[in-house]
Amino acid sequence: MPIEFAKYHGLGNDFILIDNRHSSEPVITPEQAVDLCDRHFGIGADGVIFALPGQNDTDYTMRIFNSDGSEPEMCGNGIRCLAKFIADLEASEIHAPQPPQASAGSESKTEYRIHTGAGVIITELRSDGQVKVDMGVPRLLAAEIPTTLAAPDAKVIDVPIKVAGKSWSVTCVSMGNPHCITFVEDVSAVALETVGPQFEHSPAFPQRTNTEFIQVIRSEYVKMRVWERGAGVTLACGTGACAAVVAGVLVGKCDRATAVELPGGILEIEWAEVSGRIYMTGPAQRVFTGCISH
């Protein structure tokens, strides 16, 4: 049976979005997702995202298969794309021909509560086209990340690790998914394709890890390159940008409100001092729609 899809991107981090509201399970398998994400023989994407029915008083549920078929807990750029996709779906339904009594008073929502593997995430579609996401509170204990770089109940801040024959100083943060952050003098000089996989598969990270390389331009402005667990080099990573700012604050290099420049563009990240919650603001854009035939 043909499956309709839409392709969206958030700063070049691109995804295939599928309306899965009729079922609580994804309509395609991880193996099929790998084929669809192939940039030469498929549609091409960093992952496939499913909009499933909400649970536990949420509006929707998000699941995602990476381009290698693995399933991460959450994806920051992906959830902005999902929010835009949902809004577009709802808008098309509102504007479809309906009996007068059905269409009266209909209006598009601007805020969604989305159930994810990392907990409930709240997205807000702003009037300027940006999507603001309440990413929740970062988790800092080694057991929460998880990593063996410190005792389970200790934080991993400026801890040495040997990867690719070199000693790196890293700070680890969980945004519902694991992140390892290291600060470098020049992000363009990092051989991501070589170093990234070795970080991801290091024995220090039992569930593998995303790795962010950060160059501080100013305390409120940093450059970042990322190796994503299950996807490799990507143009942007929302959860990674959040984790990077948290790490920057912890080591005294970043302000709580910091712009993160990625190869695909800029994300605005704020780590609220009172609530401890992380807010991410950035774009999400539809590229095209199509139909998958099996």
Side-chain angles (χ1 to χ4, degrees), residues 61-104:
T61 295
M62 170 186 180
R63 287 185 64 183
I64 174 172
F65 294 150
N66 283 326
S67 57
D68 71 348
S70 61
E71 183 172 359
E73 299 85 352
M74 220 281 285
C75 173
N77 288 318
I79 202 164
R80 293 200 319 278
C81 291
L82 176 63
K84 272 288 184 73
F85 176 61
I86 290 168
D88 289 343
L89 284 176
E90 292 186 350
S92 67
E93 291 166 354
I94 288 171
H95 295 119
Q98 298 177 11
Q101 65 272 20
S103 59

Side-chain angles (χ1 to χ4, degrees), residues 7-64:
K7 183 170 178 178
Y8 285 70
H9 80 88
L11 300 181
N13 199 189
D14 55 346
F15 305 94
I16 298 163
L17 279 293
I18 294 177
D19 180 0
N20 212 120
R21 293 175 294 174
H22 60 285
S23 170
S24 60
E25 289 296 322
V27 292
I28 67 170
T29 66
E31 293 75 21
Q32 290 171 321
V34 171
D35 292 338
L36 293 175
C37 289
D38 189 291
R39 297 190 182 278
H40 298 287
F41 298 100
I43 298 166
D46 292 321
V48 180
I49 296 175
F50 306 89
L52 295 102
Q55 50 185 297
N56 301 327
D57 297 321
T58 57
D59 298 305
Y60 294 92
T61 295
M62 170 186 180
R63 287 185 64 183
I64 174 172

Side-chain angles (χ1 to χ4, degrees), residues 16-286:
I16 298 163
L17 279 293
I18 294 177
D19 180 0
N20 212 120
R21 293 175 294 174
H22 60 285
S23 170
S24 60
E25 289 296 322
V27 292
I28 67 170
T29 66
E31 293 75 21
Q32 290 171 321
V34 171
D35 292 338
L36 293 175
C37 289
D38 189 291
R39 297 190 182 278
H40 298 287
F41 298 100
I43 298 166
D46 292 321
V48 180
I49 296 175
F50 306 89
L52 295 102
Q55 50 185 297
N56 301 327
D57 297 321
T58 57
D59 298 305
Y60 294 92
T61 295
M62 170 186 180
R63 287 185 64 183
I64 174 172
F65 294 150
N66 283 326
S67 57
D68 71 348
S70 61
E71 183 172 359
E73 299 85 352
M74 220 281 285
C75 173
N77 288 318
I79 202 164
R80 293 200 319 278
C81 291
L82 176 63
K84 272 288 184 73
F85 176 61
I86 290 168
D88 289 343
L89 284 176
E90 292 186 350
S92 67
E93 291 166 354
I94 288 171
H95 295 119
Q98 298 177 11
Q101 65 272 20
S103 59
S106 296
E107 59 180 25
S108 299
K109 287 185 65 173
T110 59
E111 186 174 293
Y112 300 102
R113 289 172 51 83
I114 301 174
H115 179 88
T116 77
V120 177
I121 305 294
I122 300 173
T123 64
E124 176 191 352
L125 278 71
R126 301 195 329 186
S127 58
D128 62 358
Q130 300 276 294
V131 182
K132 182 176 181 179
V133 184
D134 179 349
M135 300 288 286
V137 177
R139 303 163 200 171
L140 303 176
L141 301 183
E144 297 173 320
I145 289 160
T147 180
T148 60
L149 288 174
D153 59 350
K155 296 177 182 178
V156 183
I157 302 174
D158 248 349
V159 171
I161 182 175
K162 192 167 184 179
V163 174
K166 175 184 173 181
S167 181
W168 307 75
S169 180
V170 302
T171 298
C172 296
V173 177
S174 173
M175 293 301 307
N177 56 353
H179 293 272
C180 176
I181 301 96
T182 185
F183 292 86
V184 299
E185 290 188 5
D186 182 3
V187 288
S188 65
V190 177
L192 270 186
E193 292 82 356
T194 301
V195 178
Q198 295 188 55
F199 266 102
E200 178 182 354
H201 296 282
S202 166
F205 302 102
Q207 294 181 16
R208 299 187 292 160
T209 188
N210 302 278
T211 309
E212 287 78 32
F213 301 87
I214 310 299
Q215 177 183 348
V216 178
I217 307 302
R218 301 183 302 276
S219 62
E220 80 286 356
Y221 194 99
V222 302
K223 289 185 176 181
M224 168 179 145
R225 292 178 69 202
V226 58
W227 177 272
E228 288 200 54
R229 179 187 61 167
V233 177
T234 60
L235 295 178
C237 175
T239 56
C242 293
V245 171
V246 171
V249 172
L250 292 175
V251 300
K253 294 181 182 292
C254 294
D255 295 343
R256 284 185 170 268
T258 295
V260 180
E261 178 187 331
L262 303 115
I266 294 175
L267 289 173
E268 298 290 341
I269 308 297
E270 179 187 359
W271 188 14
E273 190 165 6
V274 175
S275 68
R277 304 185 76 81
I278 291 276
Y279 297 92
M280 171 190 63
T281 303
Q285 183 175 351
R286 183 169 62 186

